[in-house]
Amino acid sequence: QEADAALGQRLFDVMARNNPEVLPGRRVNHAKGAVYAGTFTATPDAAMLSTAPHLQGQPVPMVIRFSLGGGVIAVPDKAVPVHGMAMSFQLPDGRSTDLMCINMPVFVSPTPEEFIAFNKAAQASPPNSPQPTALQRFIGSHPAAQRFVAGLKPMPQSFATDSYFAIHAYRLTNAAGETRAIRWRILPEAGYAARSAEEAAASPPNALFDELEARTKAGPVAFRLEAQIAEPGDPTNDPTIAWPEERRVVNLGRILVTGEVPNSAEAEKPIGFLPGKELPGLARGDDPFFAARDAVYAVAFARRNP
Ligand code: HEM
């Protein structure tokens, strides 16, 4: 649709203005990253929730990209608190479905328009701006942004000791035709482990990427894919509002990250993840971010693969 395409372009433009320069062929956001191969194997419980082919129990290959938020490839790992884990589940018939997760359970803005305003406030607050800066004023008057910033995590020991969230609500439908709203979560089998402020400050520039490469050379890294199930009244169209922790959580299966792909910097170029790719038994929910993100990712992909 016209309106979505125009919003996608405006979202791309505001992201591009976050960066001094977008290098040719590189991502305008989550620029620093590494591509890994993996597999996913569903538990029997997964099929009780959805008929989606990758949730039936046969192992499926995965492509997984770990990343740091922001558009600067040369940024030190310790400087960026928002981490990405984007992944594609690859079905035998050539179809795929993706999850694009960050290490935060909620998003910073309730609507795409407000995300544009948030970025503009950040851009109007360069280092050494007089206080309160435009960003401080924005955060002070937007509770969701305040919660997000307050919830940012310390640097983890490893990408393998952090949890990741696709944030938006999806819908799963099982063979009996029962549909449930869910939110995806990815939990580390190694357990959550963070660095102290001193350890983080002393960490080398590529600490997290080097650590993951070394760790996977010693053996696969495992995560649990879970679905948090909504109850009536839980908001499905506002990614800034967490559902209560006591909601039922179903263990859907095991993600094994097996190793970095050869020449990751080239391998990442033709990859373009999308959060709203549907399958039988798996649909996007009613969050307006799905259409907005489809649109901005299309612009971003075309720009880096002209
Ligand atoms: C309107 C809000 C958002 C905008 C404008 C936006 C924008 C972008 C852009 C332009 C990219 C680069 C895409 C590419 O070149 O392929 C990107 C990557 C990414 N985004 Fe978003 N994003 C938004 C919301 C989110 C949310 C809510 C999440 C997580 C739930 C998320 C997770 C990611 C991840 C993990 C990547 C890296 C993908 C990769 O490794 O290829 N984004 N985002």
Side-chain angles (χ1 to χ4, degrees):
Q1 272 122 356
E2 195 66 48
D4 288 341
L7 177 58
Q9 186 65 51
R10 287 172 53 230
L11 285 164
F12 178 85
D13 291 344
V14 82
M15 302 304 287
R17 281 197 297 273
N18 283 336
N19 304 317
E21 125 184 92
V22 179
L23 298 172
R26 297 298 166 190
R27 285 159 172 72
V28 73
N29 190 16
H30 291 265
K32 184 175 184 181
V35 182
Y36 280 74
T39 59
F40 173 72
T41 310
T43 62
D45 284 349
M48 316 253 285
L49 290 180
S50 169
T51 57
H54 63 306
L55 298 178
Q56 305 312 301
Q58 310 88 332
V60 291
M62 297 182 73
V63 172
I64 303 162
R65 184 171 179 271
F66 291 92
S67 60
L68 304 184
V72 182
I73 291 205
V75 73
D77 296 354
K78 66 182 169 201
V80 182
V82 175
H83 300 167
M85 182 181 176
M87 66 204 79
S88 179
F89 300 84
Q90 308 199 308
L91 305 179
D93 64 7
R95 283 180 301 173
S96 63
T97 188
D98 301 345
L99 289 176
M100 296 175 77
C101 300
I102 57 174
N103 58 341
M104 294 286 291
V106 288
F107 199 52
V108 62
S109 307
T111 62
E113 285 297 343
E114 206 174 295
F115 187 58
I116 292 178
F118 169 77
N119 280 278
K120 285 187 172 165
Q123 289 160 9
S125 314
N128 306 321
S129 307
Q131 306 218 354
T133 64
L135 182 60
Q136 287 168 335
R137 276 178 288 151
F138 185 94
I139 290 171
S141 57
H142 292 79
Q146 202 158 28
R147 285 195 300 273
F148 184 88
V149 171
L152 288 170
K153 299 185 216 170
M155 185 180 188
Q157 287 291 341
S158 166
F159 282 123
T161 64
D162 207 351
S163 40
Y164 303 88
F165 305 85
I167 298 183
H168 310 300
Y170 289 73
R171 291 192 182 107
L172 297 183
T173 303
N174 65 15
E178 297 160 336
T179 296
R180 295 176 177 87
I182 65 112
R183 279 175 168 167
W184 307 96
R185 302 174 155 198
I186 293 173
L187 281 299
E189 275 191 18
Y192 176 72
R195 299 181 192 227
S196 67
E198 297 72 32
E199 286 173 317
S203 66
N206 299 319
L208 292 174
F209 291 98
D210 290 348
E211 194 279 345
L212 189 64
E213 199 185 343
R215 190 184 281 249
T216 50
K217 277 187 177 144
V221 157
F223 293 92
R224 201 162 65 242
L225 177 67
E226 297 182 344
Q228 183 191 30
I229 317 268
E231 297 214 346
D234 288 341
T236 53
N237 61 359
D238 185 340
T240 66
I241 304 197
W243 296 341
E245 264 314 303
E246 59 271 20
R247 292 289 175 269
R248 185 159 73 101
V249 171
V250 178
N251 176 6
L252 298 178
R254 194 166 191 232
I255 294 169
L256 283 184
V257 182
T258 46
E260 191 168 2
V261 304
N263 199 354
S264 170
E266 280 307 304
E268 72 174 25
K269 290 183 175 173
I271 296 172
F273 298 99
L274 289 169
K277 281 164 82 174
E278 302 188 329
L279 290 171
L282 162 57
R284 54 172 74 188
D286 60 353
D287 189 320
F289 274 94
F290 282 113
R293 291 181 63 198
D294 271 358
V296 67
Y297 293 138
V299 175
F301 185 85
R303 194 65 70 94
R304 63 185 168 83
N305 288 294

